[in-house]
Amino acid sequence: MHSTEENPMHKLASRTLFFTLLAGLSAAAFAGNKSVSQEVSLCQRDVMSQITLEHQHAKIDFNNKATSVSAHTGNEVNVSGKGNFTKKDGTVKKFEYTCRVNTAEGRVISAQVTKTGTKD
């Protein structure tokens, strides 16, 4: 007998591989831009994950000139910025994002993406 249902362990392994590759791609994308801080990189990685969950094959471009990092409280900073993503059908959408990052632990506390429309 051959089941058409996907093995749950295979599904988990596929997702793990996807996010590992995604993290590697985001790290590689930022490797050439030394001005991007670890906090910005962590935030943008979470933003990429959120967008690709909804738009699997989206090509994401961050506008690092429109990125800012500001103090929040204690070991936390706020990161905000803008970018575009290109959907599989070629439509380009603009978005804005904000994150709260714990610098001591090197983790994102919260990340929010707001789609702001189509690119002109």
Side-chain angles (χ1 to χ4, degrees):
M1 291 262 145
H2 207 208
S3 173
T4 58
E5 290 185 33
E6 190 172 344
N7 179 334
M9 291 304 291
H10 181 260
K11 196 176 220 178
L12 178 62
S14 294
R15 284 188 182 160
T16 302
L17 177 60
F18 171 75
F19 286 110
T20 301
L21 289 172
L22 182 62
L25 288 173
S26 63
F30 298 128
N33 186 350
K34 300 295 184 198
S35 66
V36 175
S37 70
Q38 177 184 359
E39 294 80 16
V40 171
S41 179
L42 289 169
C43 175
Q44 290 181 347
R45 184 186 67 203
D46 272 27
V47 168
M48 287 176 72
S49 295
Q50 287 184 33
I51 293 171
T52 55
L53 281 175
E54 188 175 339
H55 303 282
Q56 244 181 358
H57 300 286
K59 180 183 179 300
I60 302 165
D61 297 306
F62 291 99
N63 179 352
N64 286 328
K65 291 179 183 175
T67 302
S68 66
V69 179
S70 58
H72 185 68
T73 57
N75 292 326
E76 294 179 10
V77 296
N78 291 322
V79 178
S80 62
K82 297 179 180 184
N84 301 302
F85 67 92
T86 306
K87 293 171 42 175
K88 189 176 181 178
D89 68 3
T91 305
V92 179
K93 297 282 190 179
K94 297 189 295 185
F95 66 90
E96 295 179 356
Y97 62 92
T98 58
C99 300
R100 206 167 86 222
V101 180
N102 182 312
T103 57
E105 297 176 11
R107 68 178 180 91
V108 175
I109 297 166
S110 66
Q112 182 177 11
V113 179
T114 305
K115 294 180 188 98
T116 57
T118 53
K119 186 176 177 184
D120 299 329

